[in-house]
Amino acid sequence: PQVRAAPSPPPPELRAAAEGRLRLMIDPGHGGHDPGARGVGGLWEKDVVLDISLRLAAKARAHGGFDVRLTRRTDVFVPLEDRTAAANAFDADLFVSVHANAAASPDLNGMETYYLNNTDDRATIRLAQMENGLASATGGAGRGVDVAFILSDLVQSYKVEESIDLAEAVQSAAVRRARTVRPELRDIGVKAGPFYVLVGAGMPAVLV
């Protein structure tokens, strides 16, 4: 048999680039029997955010600076706590959960990005209650959720500033790009919120 020469190692700069890729976990919200918000013509949030997330993953891979995984790639239900658990197992550097709201009035529009923290804002609390509300989604009763938030405060408090930085960067870029299609889009800003899907993440984590 022919003896094949061993492949040449990549140049140092390419090795450094490969080792320097950020590990990105993208989380398409909802899925399966949890459809999320219902939009015009019966459009479901779970389908919209999956499409957005698959496009984002493709762009991140094409960029070359990211190793990318998704919490789901099809219309399946993934419990909320399993999403950040998957990001932790991946040793992700960034966690981005993608969601889409609906409103009765077509005049309401905008984009907002959240990081995990307590808040007194009633609209944010109501939104978080809707996102956190399904017992089947949280995988536990109310007391389990309370304990998870306490543990998250202990484990994740040092990630708050990094999460704010990530939220501001994502919000600014996403609004800028979205306005090329819809100039009237409102920039609702970056906010703190008690979103269960962000609980337990060991890396900067945001919900868009």
Side-chain angles (χ1 to χ4, degrees):
Q2 291 182 338
V3 177
R4 295 175 180 266
S8 300
E13 62 272 14
L14 292 183
R15 290 201 302 271
E19 293 167 358
R21 285 198 296 265
L22 290 172
R23 295 184 180 184
L24 171 63
M25 179 64 83
I26 302 172
D27 172 45
H30 305 278
H33 63 76
D34 175 19
R38 187 172 187 268
V40 176
L43 187 66
W44 287 109
E45 177 181 1
K46 65 176 183 178
D47 300 320
V48 173
V49 298
L50 179 59
D51 181 67
I52 291 171
S53 297
L54 290 171
R55 292 171 187 245
L56 174 60
K59 285 192 173 187
R61 290 191 180 101
H63 177 275
F66 298 90
D67 287 335
V68 186
R69 290 188 187 175
L70 290 91
T71 55
R72 68 180 181 94
R73 301 187 62 88
T74 59
D75 183 18
V76 295
F77 174 74
V78 180
L80 297 183
E81 64 272 18
D82 289 356
R83 298 173 187 243
T84 46
N88 291 334
F90 179 40
D91 196 21
D93 297 299
L94 305 170
F95 179 86
V96 178
S97 190
V98 183
H99 290 256
N101 293 340
S105 170
D107 295 329
L108 294 178
N109 74 83
M111 185 176 293
E112 55 197 348
T113 303
Y114 291 90
Y115 61 94
L116 180 65
N117 214 327
N118 293 322
T119 180
D120 295 327
D121 182 75
R122 291 184 179 181
T124 298
I125 293 172
R126 185 176 63 179
L127 177 62
Q129 287 174 337
M130 288 190 291
E131 294 291 351
N132 301 341
L134 293 175
S136 58
T138 60
R143 175 172 293 183
V145 174
D146 292 340
V147 171
F149 275 111
I150 293 170
L151 291 176
S152 176
D153 184 60
L154 295 174
V155 173
Q156 201 176 9
S157 60
Y158 70 100
K159 295 293 184 184
V160 170
E161 291 302 321
E162 293 94 329
S163 294
I164 293 173
D165 290 342
L166 175 60
E168 290 176 345
V170 168
Q171 175 72 11
S172 175
V175 168
R176 184 171 63 251
R177 292 297 298 272
R179 280 177 173 168
T180 64
V181 178
R182 188 171 184 176
E184 72 276 17
L185 182 84
R186 291 179 57 221
D187 182 351
I188 305 177
V190 169
K191 303 177 182 179
F195 290 93
Y196 189 81
V197 72
L198 301 180
V199 169
M203 71 293 302
V206 298
L207 183 148
V208 185

